[in-house]
Amino acid sequence: MLTWAMLALGLLIVIFAPGLIVLRALGLRGLTLWGAAPAWTAGLATAASLILAAASVRWSPLFFAAVVLVATAGAALLGRVMPGKVYQRTGISLDELSFPVTRRQGIALGLLIVLSSVLLWLPGIMPGDFGDPPQWWDPTYHLSGVWSIAHSGDASPLSAFSLMYGPEPVSVVYPAVLHQLVSLVSGTEHIIPTIKLMLAGIAIIWYTGIASLGQAALPKVKYAPFLALGAAQFVPIMPSYLLFRVPVWANALGVALIPGLLALAMACFRYTVMHQRNLKAAFPLLAALYLMLILGVLGLTASYPASFFTITIILIVGLTAYVAQRMGEIRSLPKAVAASAGLALLIGLTLILPLTSPRFESMLANPPTRGFDQLLFKLWSIASMNPAGGGGIIPKLVSIVFGIACLVGLVTAFRSRQLRWLSLTWIVLLLIVLATSFPIIPLSYYTGIWYYGIFRTLPFFAIPTILLAVIGATRLLSRATANNLAGAITGVLVLSVASSAIFWGMRYGYGREMFDPTPSDSLFMVSDDELAMQKRIANIVGPDELVIGDPTNGEALLPAYANVDVAFRQHAYAQISRESADARLLGDHFNQIHDNPRVCRVLKKYNIKYFYEDYPVIFNETWRPFSTPGFYHVDTSRGFELLDEADQARFYRITACDE
């Protein structure tokens, strides 16, 4: 238990401390600081990984801390010089940016965020032992990605995953923030429990960002951070669905970062409007603020590139609503034309120009195949914000009540000049969600940015929905709303416990499916006996020796679970742009080891000494012997020495290539 507690504390420090230190040095304070800090941590981790890789320095907590300290020193210098000079000249300071949160409120809110996250997280990780791996194939990519970084010391997103698809390095670019942060805490020994703890960490990031955004977006609503946190308990898509129904999805971290950055963007915008008549004097402060925002968005993009489009869509809709409101006040035609042209240029640069890149062109090249089949199920999935659609009568009733509050908030926000942007944002994101389920041309093609999956767009739609629900609930219950902090704290506490009770069965079911599923040809990877065998294998395989086998069976778990290196850490070596010829040879022809001399040459080249044999499964609707035929029908009666076995899995030493 002490080990898990230390891992949890280490994760919280790694997630928040780097961003907090640097942003605080720049002069940011309050809840906005806590909401934006994880995105800055993501940016610092990415920058540090690139710098250290270029300098051939091993990725480690020590060297990451050194990069953070250098960034903090630069931020402190910038934060001391610019705000000081501006304050001396004009009396303008960044303190005006901070929303009022007393220490008592901050402590209470922090404790409620942690409690809510733990109550959400517990049922999902309860099935199975805490150290047991997920039983789905997709998480093995991220488990092996963490192990690759901790093992090699290379955390760069440009090269950290180069050995995931075979023993020969290939060119692979992949977002690595989650893997970087987990590897700093887990090393190569505690990857699986640290990944499970990271799921709670992502929930904490999400709830912190939501509370921060509630404060920034609804400054006139008393105890808005508490109300937003309470409303967020009843949104199944995030974090419940993305953390447990979608198996260890690294991009969930990028989704969780969005609300906190939106809060910072709103603070920057409000600060700009506040000093619009004195922009020249306040310019150094504004430059520092927007530097915080831009670098935070870069950190967000490094975590999950598609999130860049999400946050820019939300910001552009809000800015468009503001410009439209102010257009009637602009008496000069040139100023009106300039405002419109500037907005059009912003839309073009952020939403259209990036789509000209080859990566996004390939994503958009696949036409959507959505139809109007399962119409009612799809509509209910969107309305309840649960792609699985399920749940008993009580969760359904909760979804209906939540939806009523949201619709009341939608009407209220649309009638308010200050909040109309929120209702328009909700409508635009709803259209994007609908376009991922139904053919809405040409919008459905644009949803290729999110791979056409509704579970990828619903979390973004949830952000304005939560805020609208707060507005609606406040309006419906205005006379019963608590007027003291104790009432707000009690309300969130009750909602957190109620949410945990209502959705406990759903969350436990998701966790059971991921960590302890019923054995089948399409989900089950390893049994308890096979896991015990993998621990024994760790005592057999040398540090420079590799194990080969089909990575859709237990072989793929050897790195993260037993700290044993394998030839294939990822199940789809043919999906990369330039696959390895040696990897293809082994995947297709390893079973020709007795007759094809090229097989032994490749095995010797990479010091592959062991073979992990297991029963075939169906993966991505394909029978694995069709995808990687070389790992099946291997004649092990000669040239192989059986070292261990468990259930249908067998572990051999390869002797066929001995001279």
Side-chain angles (χ1 to χ4, degrees), residues 165-168 568 573 579-588 602 631:
Y165 298 83
E168 180 183 12
F568 292 95
Y573 63 82
E579 66 184 33
S580 162
D582 290 342
R584 173 61 73 180
L585 172 69
L586 294 174
D588 289 347
V602 174
F631 298 134

Side-chain angles (χ1 to χ4, degrees), residues 29 77 172 183 218 319 373 380 453 544 563 633:
R29 299 172 182 267
L77 180 63
V172 179
S183 69
L218 308 173
L319 185 59
D373 56 306
W380 173 250
D544 298 322
N563 197 19
H633 307 295

Side-chain angles (χ1 to χ4, degrees), residues 323-394:
V323 171
Q325 290 178 9
R326 297 296 304 274
M327 195 65 73
E329 302 174 12
I330 300 177
R331 304 303 179 186
S332 170
L333 180 61
K335 288 184 177 180
V337 172
S340 302
L343 189 60
L345 179 62
L346 180 63
I347 295 173
L349 290 176
T350 56
L351 298 181
I352 299 175
L353 185 61
L355 299 184
T356 60
S357 69
R359 175 176 175 81
F360 285 110
E361 283 181 356
S362 64
M363 291 164 59
L364 296 173
N366 299 316
T369 57
R370 305 302 180 193
F372 292 99
D373 56 306
Q374 298 181 304
L375 176 63
L376 293 179
F377 174 81
K378 289 180 177 179
L379 290 176
W380 173 250
S381 298
I382 295 172
S384 63
M385 282 183 286
N386 182 6
I393 185 64
I394 295 179

Side-chain angles (χ1 to χ4, degrees), residues 204-240:
I204 291 173
I205 294 171
W206 170 260
Y207 286 139
T208 302
I210 287 293
S212 175
L213 181 59
Q215 185 188 53
L218 308 173
K220 295 183 179 180
V221 176
K222 195 170 187 179
Y223 303 122
F226 292 90
L227 295 176
L229 176 60
Q233 307 298 316
F234 298 97
V235 178
I237 182 62
M238 181 69 185
S240 293

Side-chain angles (χ1 to χ4, degrees), residues 167 541-542 544-548 565-567 606-610:
V541 180
D544 298 322
E545 297 174 333
L546 298 183
V547 179
I548 194 170
D565 201 358
V566 296
Y606 300 107
N607 202 27
I608 300 173
K609 295 293 186 68
Y610 303 94

Side-chain angles (χ1 to χ4, degrees), residues 317-318 320-322 324-325 410 413-414 419-430 468:
V317 172
T320 302
Y322 176 78
Q325 290 178 9
L410 178 67
F414 190 79
L419 296 175
R420 188 168 297 154
W421 67 270
L422 184 57
S423 60
L424 295 176
T425 300
W426 187 88
I427 293 171
V428 170
L429 293 183
L430 175 61
L468 290 176

Side-chain angles (χ1 to χ4, degrees), residues 46-69:
T46 302
S49 70
L50 294 170
I51 293 170
L52 295 177
S56 299
V57 176
R58 186 176 181 83
W59 176 258
S60 69
L62 178 63
F63 287 110
F64 175 56
V67 173
V68 172
L69 288 176

